Amino acid sequence: MKLDQIDYKIIEILSADGRIQNNKIAEMLDVSNGTIKNRINRLIESGLLNVKGLMNPNVFTEKQLIFLLVEVAINRDCEKAAEAINQLEGVKSVCVVTGKPDLIVEVFIETNKLIDFLRNDLGGLISTTAIDSMIVLKSYSKWV
């Protein structure tokens, strides 16, 4: 799907305020309300846009934001491993990256569940050579 300037502007506006009404976007871009509605639907259906509510992880005392740096035992299985990890409860995102590690996994789970997650969930799913965990103490402009 090819995007034009209106599509990019719609994405930019929704990135700043996902709750903005379609008629406000239409007014800002000088197009019809129907045009905005159709374009947003097309962007969502094509997988280019996802509008959802996000939480500030700093306000949750019972959950912790954790980044896991994962080295997969067999490097050629990185994408397969990423897809499987992405299905685990508490996983917010998985990125296949260059260098070490192979994957960066963003997890938002109960504070005392990290060991269980590493041992049972992640460990039972893929074979790794190393996992480094980074517990976020405080985040700025981060939403999960």
Side-chain angles (χ1 to χ4, degrees):
M1 180 176 142
K2 187 159 172 62
L3 302 180
D4 64 15
Q5 289 297 357
I6 293 174
D7 294 322
Y8 285 115
K9 289 285 188 187
I10 291 169
I11 293 168
E12 181 181 326
I13 292 167
L14 287 171
S15 293
D17 180 3
R19 294 180 51 168
I20 192 168
Q21 297 175 354
N22 289 354
N23 62 343
K24 298 281 187 198
I25 300 172
E27 194 176 291
M28 293 167 73
L29 300 181
D30 197 29
V31 297
S32 74
N33 192 29
T35 296
I36 297 302
K37 182 180 178 195
N38 291 336
R39 287 188 181 235
I40 289 173
N41 287 339
R42 183 174 49 102
L43 289 166
I44 291 170
E45 289 169 5
S46 67
L48 294 172
L49 177 67
N50 187 1
V51 181
K52 60 184 177 177
L54 299 173
M55 305 172 293
N56 180 345
N58 293 326
V59 300
F60 289 86
T61 57
E62 72 280 359
K63 287 193 172 191
Q64 192 74 50
L65 181 60
I66 303 163
F67 290 94
L68 302 174
L69 308 178
V70 179
E71 293 179 32
V72 180
I74 302 173
N75 191 278
R76 69 178 179 268
D77 291 337
C78 282
E79 286 187 61
K80 183 178 172 185
E83 289 171 3
I85 293 168
N86 196 50
Q87 302 304 311
L88 294 175
E89 186 176 339
V91 172
K92 293 297 180 181
S93 70
V94 181
C95 299
V96 177
V97 296
T98 60
K100 286 191 175 187
D102 300 309
L103 307 173
I104 298 177
V105 181
E106 181 182 23
V107 184
F108 192 56
I109 57 175
E110 288 80 13
T111 307
N112 60 347
K113 299 288 185 184
L114 179 58
I115 291 174
D116 289 338
F117 181 85
L118 293 173
R119 185 181 298 138
N120 302 330
D121 299 340
L122 191 60
L125 195 61
I126 63 167
S127 179
T128 62
T129 56
I131 300 175
D132 191 12
S133 61
M134 299 183 300
I135 297 173
V136 176
L137 301 175
K138 185 169 184 171
S139 61
Y140 299 85
S141 301
K142 177 65 181 162
W143 298 86
V144 295

